[in-house]
Amino acid sequence: MPRIQSTKDTEYTSPKGMRDIFGAEFYEMQGFFEKAQEVAMYYGFDPIDTPILEHQEIWLRSSLESDTTLKEMYTLTTKGGDKLAMRPERTTAIMRAYIEHNMRAWSQPVMLYHYGPTFRYEKPAAGRYRQFHSFDLDILGTEAPIADAIVIHSALRILAECGAPANIFVEINSIGDADSRKELEKELRAYYKKHSTKISAADREHVKTNVLKVLDSKDPATIEVNMDAPKSIDFLSNSAKKHFKAVLEYLDELGVTYRINHSLVRGLDYYTHTVFEIVEPVTDPETGVTHTHAIVGGGRYDYLAQSLGHKKEVPAVGVGMGAERILAATWWKHLSPRIMKTPTTYFIQIGFEAKLKSLSIIEDLRKSKIPILQSLSKDKLSIQLVAAEKSGVETILIFGQREAIDNTVIIRDVKSGSQKTVKLDKMIETLKKK
């Protein structure tokens, strides 16, 4: 078999924009997902997990803007000729699952939470990776405005449990139903045509493909033009106005702080009615200027099912919460999963007989939920003692040849240096008393 050649750039490195997650960060990400699941469960959401790979066609059908679909998807062709893509977002996969498993026959609405990695081939930046992780909440099968409020409120509660400050708030807008959006897009194209020389080339292209995307532009010149752009709220149909008004009333009742942002559209073609972001005010220490930093975002997507080829509409609303963004926040509480218990005991063994019995002793400790650190691969007492002292544990268990014969163990208190020998059948009881 020929040896695979590698270059200096690819040998022993993860792909660009992707990374290994280990140590404290691994546990903290698990802690975030666990806390988010806990809140979601109390609000009535059930879990679902969809494949990382889906048929490429569903992403193309879901009307994601062309540059996202074609440039940012990781695609492959299987040996059988199937064209697959690694999910660039999670909402389309959830709608596919709803349709495939005939969840319409379930009690409506269907409330789901899901989390894991997502993949986009885009330029990596600080806190932005090509493989990133998110926690999503979705409510499918209802047009009720209260579903929008539940999703927003649940996301706010998750953020609060993770340490988010009280000054975070919701930026919200409505782009209305299909009729509302049609009129809005018509007016926007006419407006941007008059100001085409003032906006960027990329935004001029968006005018042709997805004019709402221009409202979400980060280009300074376009942002200035957008200040006088037609507002989506002025083109809402009567039913769309009623829906948006009800959502705001629910948020008022919940005491949620929000601000209507007329430029907020969320960019993706399948959004309808409510679109929102939960943002944090950030003040530049040099200029004193305060701007908002988006933490999470979402909205209603009532027409996504039909864009996938389904005969009937499936009204739905959801939110996506980027784990990396939350873990990088200054207010992040550094949560650990419940399974993670910081070991306060170090187990040392000396000699062959002791090593033989060590795994049985460790199993007894595990059953009693006493986590430990150990160096079973080491033989010398001095090396193990150094490792134990560096670990910062409170207690050291020493199990040597004599202890193996006598069925005893030495329990040493690190702080005081005192130690005593106890029978193995009294070890757990003694440690728990400590």
Side-chain angles (χ1 to χ4, degrees):
M1 182 176 179
R3 185 176 183 275
I4 297 174
Q5 297 295 318
S6 63
T7 67
K8 206 174 228 183
D9 291 336
T10 61
E11 191 171 21
Y12 313 127
T13 61
S14 57
K16 184 178 180 180
M18 301 183 183
R19 66 203 179 102
D20 302 309
I21 301 173
F22 52 90
E25 185 180 9
F26 178 90
Y27 288 118
E28 288 192 19
M29 187 170 287
Q30 296 306 308
F32 163 65
F33 287 140
E34 186 178 273
K35 175 56 68 176
Q37 287 181 83
E38 179 186 302
V39 174
M41 180 190 70
Y42 279 109
Y43 277 94
F45 292 87
D46 291 317
I48 186 173
D49 190 21
T50 62
I52 288 174
L53 287 171
E54 297 270 1
H55 290 290
Q56 180 180 322
E57 184 65 19
I58 74 162
W59 307 114
L60 300 176
R61 284 186 180 183
S62 66
S63 299
L64 285 169
E65 191 183 4
S66 59
D67 59 354
T68 300
T69 304
L70 299 177
K71 295 179 181 179
E72 295 187 3
M73 282 202 305
Y74 284 90
T75 60
L76 61 92
T77 302
T78 68
K79 293 179 181 178
D82 293 329
K83 293 185 180 298
L84 305 180
M86 299 171 75
R87 58 184 177 220
E89 48 93 18
R90 307 181 67 87
T91 306
T92 301
I94 290 301
M95 184 58 75
R96 188 270 308 151
Y98 180 94
I99 296 169
E100 178 180 348
H101 301 292
N102 193 27
M103 293 185 190
R104 183 183 285 274
W106 300 8
S107 176
Q108 302 296 299
V110 176
M111 300 174 63
L112 302 171
Y113 74 79
H114 44 110
Y115 62 94
T118 308
F119 305 84
R120 288 185 191 165
Y121 188 83
E122 56 185 350
K123 187 176 180 180
R128 181 183 287 272
Y129 303 96
R130 289 177 172 175
Q131 176 180 324
F132 56 96
H133 302 76
S134 67
F135 184 93
D136 289 31
L137 300 169
D138 290 273
I139 302 179
L140 303 97
T142 180
E143 297 176 347
I146 196 171
D148 306 38
I150 290 171
V151 164
I152 293 170
H153 185 61
S154 300
L156 283 167
R157 295 323 308 157
I158 290 171
L159 292 174
E161 292 286 322
C162 291
N167 67 343
I168 65 170
F169 64 94
V170 178
E171 288 201 330
I172 193 167
N173 194 21
S174 175
I175 53 177
D177 52 23
D179 292 336
S180 306
R181 182 165 175 161
K182 187 176 180 180
E183 288 299 314
L184 172 62
E185 290 177 344
K186 179 182 176 182
E187 291 296 322
L188 283 173
R189 287 194 179 94
Y191 176 78
Y192 288 126
K193 188 175 181 180
K194 294 178 183 177
H195 298 84
S196 60
T197 58
K198 300 177 184 178
I199 63 177
S200 67
D203 287 327
R204 286 197 294 273
E205 188 62 30
H206 287 148
V207 171
K208 302 174 187 176
T209 58
N210 182 355
V211 68
L212 293 183
K213 187 78 172 176
V214 185
L215 288 171
D216 196 36
S217 175
K218 302 300 184 287
D219 182 80
T222 305
I223 291 173
E224 188 172 342
V225 170
N226 283 339
M227 292 179 69
D228 296 318
K231 296 176 174 57
S232 61
I233 203 166
D234 294 332
F235 297 88
L236 297 182
S237 64
N238 288 334
S239 61
K241 287 178 183 177
K242 184 178 178 181
H243 184 279
F244 192 45
K245 181 174 179 289
V247 172
L248 298 182
E249 287 174 346
Y250 283 120
L251 295 182
D252 286 334
E253 183 64 26
L254 289 166
V256 171
T257 302
Y258 63 84
R259 180 177 72 188
I260 296 176
N261 180 347
H262 297 292
S263 295
L264 183 61
V265 292
R266 298 290 298 162
L268 300 177
D269 282 348
Y270 54 61
Y271 277 122
T272 55
H273 290 292
T274 310
V275 287
F276 66 90
E277 289 180 345
I278 300 175
V279 302
E280 178 184 10
V282 179
T283 302
D284 189 314
E286 295 183 3
T287 64
V289 176
T290 299
H291 63 278
T292 57
H293 168 70
I295 309 171
V296 304
R300 180 163 279 279
Y301 49 97
D302 293 346
Y303 305 138
L304 177 56
Q306 286 187 318
S307 72
L308 297 179
H310 194 53
K311 294 179 181 178
K312 297 181 179 179
E313 291 180 5
V314 178
V317 61
V319 61
M321 312 179 72
E324 282 84 358
R325 182 166 292 187
I326 292 170
L327 267 62
T330 56
W331 41 260
W332 164 243
K333 285 174 67 174
H334 302 285
L335 300 173
S336 293
R338 286 196 183 94
I339 62 164
M340 182 59 185
K341 293 186 177 181
T342 303
T344 59
T345 303
Y346 201 105
F347 179 79
I348 291 176
Q349 45 70 41
I350 313 159
F352 182 70
E353 293 298 326
K355 197 183 289 286
L356 282 177
K357 294 184 176 181
S358 292
L359 290 177
S360 296
I361 294 173
I362 292 173
E363 176 62 11
D364 289 339
L365 292 164
R366 183 198 68 80
K367 287 179 179 178
S368 299
K369 294 184 169 49
I370 300 176
I372 64 158
L373 297 173
Q374 48 81 14
S375 298
L376 293 185
S377 61
K378 308 296 183 184
D379 294 322
K380 289 185 177 181
L381 173 63
S382 59
I383 292 176
Q384 295 180 75
L385 280 173
V386 169
E389 290 168 2
K390 285 183 177 179
S391 70
V393 296
E394 299 171 359
T395 307
I396 297 175
L397 299 179
I398 301 175
F399 188 61
Q401 295 282 57
R402 177 176 293 179
E403 287 74 32
I405 295 170
D406 296 341
N407 284 319
T408 60
V409 65
I410 298 170
I411 301 179
R412 178 184 294 181
D413 185 278
V414 173
K415 190 173 182 180
S416 66
S418 63
Q419 64 183 43
K420 61 180 177 179
T421 301
V422 301
K423 287 289 187 180
L424 282 177
D425 58 5
K426 298 291 183 182
M427 175 185 66
I428 302 297
E429 179 184 339
T430 304
L431 288 173
K432 288 192 171 182
K433 282 181 179 178
K434 281 177 63 62

